[in-house]
Amino acid sequence: MSDELRIKLKETTDFLKAKGIENPEVGVILGSGLNDYADRIEDPLVIPYNDIPNMQAGKLPDHRGQLIYGEISGKKVILLAGRFHYYENGDMQKTAYPARVLAYLGVKRFIITNAAGCINENFGVGDLMLISDHINYSGANPLIGDNLEELGPRIPDMTYTYNRELREALKKRAHEEGIELREGVYMMFSGPTFETPAEIIFARTVGADAAGMSTVPEAIIANHAEREIIGISCLSNMAAGVLDQPLSGQEVNEAAMLVKDTFKKVVDMAIEI
Ligand code: HPA
């Protein structure tokens, strides 16, 4: 398996290098409803996932399925507009593959974003939450299987997954711009169902502030390779049962649209700091 993965990664990254992607510094993974950040790069190199060897495009309508490369604030940045979710076919390897590609290309900083349900009742819809830590409740882990020793250890430490100094710097920068960032624990559920109210009570009890269906696989891969990680959740709805009303995907996208400008500023800052 490890040889197979290594061959695939080499094939993918050779293709991207041949397209002109050289020494990217920052990788940004864009969550549901947040793909418009992809328009941030002037004069970008846009490569549809479907053209990239071994990259699987997800099927969600609001995910573009494009890798976008260019410069932001003088840094070479790869944006992944659209991700493949674990719930799309239950394959953690496929879900985490784009993050592996970023790591293999040498990306130093991962900015991983998502839309998430808000569990913490002191936070609200439209808030942006820096992820301080996560709970992997998906029941799976992308590092299960042979380990690629050249990328990281067999049993990686996860104590400092979401870089504390960068979080502090980002909160400070955002505050100076009048943006108050929340901070909390993200809990990954497999989906594709939203959680039940009882599951959200459980999540709150074990220390979660937000619930979602992504981010954890990519963070595990980036942490394995000892890269810097900034996680940003757009709190798009109160989690199930917090309010006495059903949840919808539409609500998630509407909230993401609402915070679009703030989100753009915060991701810009996360690239710059
Ligand atoms: N739960 C899980 N994932 C989500 C939610 C939620 O409430 N909102 C957006 N993504």
Side-chain angles (χ1 to χ4, degrees):
M1 201 290 265
S2 58
D3 280 348
E4 198 187 314
L5 178 59
R6 196 176 286 117
I7 290 164
K8 275 169 95 179
L9 281 167
K10 194 166 174 331
E11 207 173 53
T12 306
T13 52
D14 282 352
F15 171 88
L16 294 173
K17 285 178 191 167
K19 288 274 180 192
I21 296 182
E22 285 297 336
N23 305 318
E25 299 163 80
V26 182
V28 186
I29 300 171
L30 295 167
S32 296
L34 303 168
N35 277 213
D36 285 358
Y37 185 79
D39 300 329
R40 175 70 181 78
I41 297 180
E42 271 172 46
D43 212 6
L45 173 65
V46 179
I47 311 173
Y49 289 168
N50 285 333
D51 292 355
I52 306 173
N54 311 316
M55 282 275 277
Q56 178 119 6
K59 295 203 176 76
L60 302 191
D62 56 320
H63 287 248
R64 292 190 190 187
Q66 291 174 337
L67 182 151
I68 295 137
Y69 174 70
E71 278 199 14
I72 297 176
S73 303
K75 289 196 181 161
K76 290 180 182 164
V77 179
I78 292 184
L79 307 177
L80 296 183
R83 49 154 70 90
F84 185 76
H85 292 84
Y86 178 51
Y87 61 74
E88 293 190 58
N89 79 351
D91 186 334
M92 254 312 174
Q93 296 301 330
K94 285 200 174 125
T95 307
Y97 189 74
R100 285 198 192 271
V101 169
L102 293 183
Y104 217 75
L105 281 170
V107 162
K108 296 183 198 71
R109 179 175 299 172
F110 281 65
I111 300 169
I112 312 177
T113 73
N114 60 57
C118 180
I119 297 174
N120 186 327
E121 290 177 273
N122 296 317
F123 303 169
V125 171
D127 283 354
L128 295 178
M129 185 190 91
L130 294 184
I131 301 176
S132 57
D133 202 349
H134 75 224
I135 298 170
N136 180 7
Y137 196 61
S138 68
N141 190 306
L143 294 176
I144 289 175
D146 287 346
N147 186 47
L148 280 189
E149 288 294 332
E150 69 266 36
L151 283 184
R154 172 70 284 191
I155 302 184
D157 176 50
M158 295 285 289
T159 310
Y160 304 110
T161 304
Y162 299 89
N163 190 287
R164 192 183 294 164
E165 289 75 32
L166 289 175
R167 261 187 284 142
E168 290 308 317
L170 188 51
K171 271 193 297 185
K172 187 162 174 288
R173 267 291 300 278
H175 178 76
E176 285 161 8
E177 305 273 336
I179 301 166
E180 296 309 325
L181 294 174
R182 306 296 196 169
E183 197 166 4
V185 174
Y186 176 90
M187 185 159 175
M188 181 188 175
F189 288 81
S190 73
T193 53
F194 284 117
E195 300 71 35
T196 63
E199 284 165 347
I200 292 302
I201 292 169
F202 164 70
R204 184 184 294 120
T205 307
V206 297
D209 297 290
M213 308 175 194
S214 67
T215 299
V216 166
E218 295 104 329
I220 289 173
I221 292 299
N223 179 68
H224 177 243
E226 296 184 0
R227 308 305 157 86
E228 294 172 348
I229 303 172
I230 298 174
I232 306 172
S233 289
C234 163
L235 303 179
S236 56
N237 55 283
M238 294 314 285
V242 177
L243 307 173
D244 194 4
Q245 64 184 44
L247 311 186
S248 74
Q250 193 188 338
E251 185 184 9
V252 172
N253 286 330
E254 280 169 8
M257 282 307 286
L258 217 67
V259 295
K260 213 168 109 174
D261 293 339
T262 314
F263 178 78
K264 180 165 171 280
K265 281 188 202 157
V266 173
V267 176
D268 279 357
M269 290 174 206
I271 293 169
E272 282 161 20
I273 55 173

